[in-house]
Amino acid sequence: MKLGIKTFSIEPFDGQKTGTSGLRKKVKVFQQPGYLEAFVQSIFFALPEIPGSGFDDGANDQPVLVLGGDGRYFNKEAIRTILRLAAANKVKKVLVGQQGLLCTPAVSAIIRERKLTGGIILTASHNPGGPNADFGIKYNTRDGGPAPESYTDVFYQWTRRIKEYRIAVDLDSQDQDPFACVSLDRPQVYEFPMQENDSNFTIEVIDSANDYVSLLQRIFDFGLLRQLFQRSDFSMLFDALHGVTGPYGKRIFVDELGAPMDWLRNCHPLEDFGGGHPDPNLVYAAELVSCCDPKENANAPEFGAASDGDGDRNMILGRGFFVTPSDSLAVIVANASDAIPYFRNGRLVGVARSMPTASAVDKVAAKENLNFFETPTGWKYFSNLLSTGKAQICGEESFGTSSDHIREKDGLWAILCWLSILAYRNVGKTPVGSFIGVQQLVEEHWKIYGRNFFTRYDYEECDATAAGNMMSGLLQYQEHGDYSSLEKVVGQPVIVADDFTYKDPVDGSIAKNQGIRFVFADGSRIIFRLSGTGSTGATIRMYIEKYETNPSKIFADAAETLSDLIHVALDVSRLEAFTGRTAPTVIT
Ligand code: VG1
Ligand code: CO
């Protein structure tokens, strides 16, 4: 068989614009004839125009990509189509995860470890899956990180003017899929001779976990973690929410660290995630939360953790205790240099958080003399800081934390950080029965650094015009500049009121309109943003923070502590009047 290239005419589709993290739409939208082809072909037309992409004239080698996804509905069909587009667009080789599965951090690890040109990740992350739910696609560049705006802007321009796409065909049987013989069941290499030149197009099905697990083994002390797992007073529950991390969780916790199988929950990847949202938070991972609560489960484990559909988010729980992602980031940073081999020897010199993330890590950075950066929401904004050594650990309030070992957030990495801290504090140090658990660690942290009370209200699938009007209303309020009603309730002057702008300290690029914020003199904050990852209507996110150092107040109830700020935020935004919503869809 020889591969030929066939060209099809096509009209541009509206709205193929990437958001916070790739293009996310309903599966039905992606299933329209030519829709996926138009978007991926636009990427392949755009890349040669982008200097340094590895597809440009200056590139030394022909491009090699990695391809895989979170296993959601439409994953395998999309892989088949993308392989044919890649072969017809000068890609020399594509590595595909076994069964089409690759978690997002593993893609980043594979690109970096194997020095590939880039990767395509098929995921809508924490959005639900299934024929009536969401699908998504994202391009990662040669540093392993999500394509920055300098890429995605060119992709988008191409989607506006695309006229044709190119697809590989079997010259003997014309329209048939020339890769029908490729099985994703086991690692194997397939070579296909191209008619155009004398070279081959290669598809290599790879083990989805090997590269990633060996990277994690170099970061953490697996021997010490094994000892933690052997303690009779330690147990954990890991919930993959039927996302892609199930097989990785089994490999790491059971095969490598010796956990019993019943420490795993929902570790079988499903195309519709069992009908749920594969989003590790108090609402969508409620079952895990109650399993970890001694009031509801007499055998509640010492430690609980979950990850999202594509494995880049994490949730950390103690016994009946929830760690806010902002606190999790701060605790990891405060302990990393002691507890995690990768960060020993002074490797940790800087940290970064997204703007809406609570400022807990700022306090650690100040005390430890670390560089500190505040970026817009979305992992892509951390890439330059990580690549130039300005920061090593980054995090977002949306359950994302990671380091410079890759260029994506990494759910299992964060979970292993917490396990490492628990192991460092307990193995060989505390007698059985006196285990220092998650809650004690966090409370000790608050006593040293103060506590950043934080909550996020999500109003999902609002009417897009109403949400836009609410945001414009807030901007007008800021133009007017009279914050006396706000200041009266909060009892503090407003010291910053703006729509957040970020200037990247490495390449000087500027990102505007990244969230409307009101910052008070005591560090309290009210922030409003529109989500860039939803597929229907608009999602409003309201972020509320209050900083407390008073020892008698740091253990107070978070909802109560924040209630004044929440009310006044709802008042000034007139959220209910604009959207008709009386309550958020999700509170974290
Ligand atoms: C959300 C989060 C953001 C995160 C992004 C991708 O974006 O707020 O912090 O980086 O999802 O996460 P938005 O625009 O909806 O607020 V995931 O796990 O999709 O890759
Ligand atoms: Co995700």
Side-chain angles (χ1 to χ4, degrees), residues 29 32 118 153 175 210 227 247 274 284 297 312 338 363 383 407 420 425 471 488 506 510 555 567 569 578-579:
V29 173
Q32 297 171 80
D153 289 347
D175 283 338
N210 281 349
Q227 292 181 51
Y284 296 128
N297 173 14
D312 56 356
D338 292 328
K363 315 286 186 284
S383 274
R407 294 295 177 274
S420 299
R425 291 295 299 274
M471 295 297 278
K488 209 169 128 208
V506 178
I510 290 180
F555 299 116
H567 282 123
F578 278 112
T579 64

Side-chain angles (χ1 to χ4, degrees), residues 410-466:
D410 189 343
L412 284 162
W413 174 90
I415 295 166
L416 288 167
C417 284
W418 271 90
L419 289 169
S420 299
I421 297 168
L422 292 172
Y424 180 77
R425 291 295 299 274
N426 288 287
V427 174
K429 291 179 182 153
T430 55
V432 169
S434 316
F435 194 84
I436 297 176
V438 171
Q439 180 166 359
Q440 189 177 336
L441 279 173
V442 174
E443 291 182 351
E444 278 176 13
H445 185 95
W446 293 340
K447 283 185 198 152
I448 300 172
Y449 297 98
R451 176 171 176 190
N452 293 77
F453 289 92
F454 179 81
T455 192
R456 181 175 110 182
Y457 280 26
D458 294 330
Y459 297 82
E460 292 171 339
E461 299 189 12
C462 292
D463 176 72
T465 314

